[in-house]
């Protein structure tokens, strides 16, 4: 598909509006993040953000947290830069790896939680879709993986956030 961030957001919005029979306003999208937001995020997480993530968040900076927030793709809502920092901090402090044996797929380092994963979407039940900025040698910087809070499997879903969104949209057509 090779879509731009704006085209992907348009497709996401159309999909979600059809799914929920709602208006774009009911998706609670936040105006795009600024370069200052990205600098703050990079400094807090100690990572370099992949360009596709910056492009995506420049159009819409995720969704406002409300009780009525609508899922956009699969069962996922998208986090804002501020929510990413809060979620990342929470996972740093709270995720206990004692007694867990990670199952890492191709391209993923065998960690249950890696401080260089950037959570950008959630199912609201403690699971996150993350951008991997610390891949294994056979991985790709910016690849997308799921962080399951109660399952130790970590596998690559897509090579970047654009490809992840395109895959989700294709599944739901």
């Amino acid at each position: 598909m090779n879509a731009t961030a704006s085209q992907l957001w348009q497709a996401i919005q159309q999909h979600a509006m059809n799914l929920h029979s709602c208006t774009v306003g009911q998706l609670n999208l936040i105006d795009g993040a600024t370069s200052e937001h990205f600098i703050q995020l990079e400094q807090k997480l100690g990572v370099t953000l992949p360009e596709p993530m910056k492009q995506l968040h420049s159009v819409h900076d995720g969704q406002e947290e409300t009780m009525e927030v609508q899922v956009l793709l699969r069962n996922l809502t998208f986090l804002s830069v501020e929510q990413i920092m809060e979620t990342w901090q929470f996972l740093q402090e709270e995720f206990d790896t004692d007694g867990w044996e990670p199952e890492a797929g191709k391209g993923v380092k065998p960690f249950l939680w890696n401080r260089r994963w950037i959570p950008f979407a959630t199912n609201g039940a403690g699971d996150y879709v993350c951008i991997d900025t610390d891949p294994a040698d056979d991985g790709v910087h910016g690849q997308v993986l799921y962080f399951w809070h109660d399952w130790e499997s970590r596998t690559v879903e897509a090579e970047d956030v654009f490809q992840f969104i395109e895959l989700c949209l294709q599944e739901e057509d």
Side-chain angles (χ1 to χ4, degrees):
M1 182 173 172
N2 294 331
T4 66
S6 293
Q7 291 168 329
L8 286 174
W9 271 114
Q10 289 173 356
I12 291 167
Q13 290 170 23
Q14 190 60 56
H15 167 76
M17 289 186 304
N18 292 342
L19 181 66
H20 302 295
S21 299
C22 68
T23 66
V24 71
Q26 293 171 305
L27 299 177
N28 299 321
L29 298 173
I30 301 171
D31 290 339
T34 64
S35 58
E36 290 79 24
H37 289 117
F38 299 133
I39 291 168
Q40 184 181 14
L41 182 59
E42 287 179 328
Q43 289 174 345
K44 170 117 177 138
L45 276 59
V47 301
T48 300
L49 298 176
E51 199 56 37
M53 181 186 179
K54 288 181 182 180
Q55 291 172 13
L56 193 69
H57 278 267
S58 292
V59 177
H60 286 291
D61 186 19
Q63 296 172 269
E64 292 178 27
E65 289 182 281
T66 67
M67 294 300 288
E68 300 85 33
V69 69
Q70 304 290 343
V71 299
L72 296 179
L73 295 172
R74 293 184 179 168
N75 62 341
L76 302 169
T77 59
F78 283 42
L79 303 174
S80 67
V81 167
E82 182 178 324
Q83 293 165 342
I84 289 169
M85 289 187 288
E86 291 170 3
T87 300
W88 180 87
Q89 188 64 46
F90 168 78
L91 290 167
Q92 291 300 106
E93 295 169 358
E94 298 297 323
F95 191 69
D96 181 12
T97 61
D98 290 343
W100 290 65
E101 294 287 332
E103 295 175 18
K106 181 180 181 219
V108 181
K109 289 185 177 176
F111 297 122
L112 292 173
W113 171 251
N114 185 333
R115 67 179 294 112
R116 295 188 60 202
W117 292 343
I118 306 168
F120 74 92
T122 183
N123 64 7
D127 304 317
Y128 299 94
V129 181
C130 298
I131 295 172
D132 185 358
T133 64
D134 186 28
D137 291 340
D138 57 344
V140 177
H141 183 270
Q143 64 193 8
V144 175
L145 57 90
Y146 269 92
F147 168 80
W148 305 102
H149 78 281
D150 60 353
W151 187 34
E152 56 274 355
S153 179
R154 308 289 183 258
T155 57
V156 174
E157 294 284 316
E159 287 189 15
D160 64 33
V161 68
F162 281 22
Q163 184 185 67
F164 176 76
I165 291 169
E166 290 172 349
L167 290 170
C168 291
L169 287 167
Q170 290 170 8
E171 289 171 1
E172 301 190 17
D173 281 341

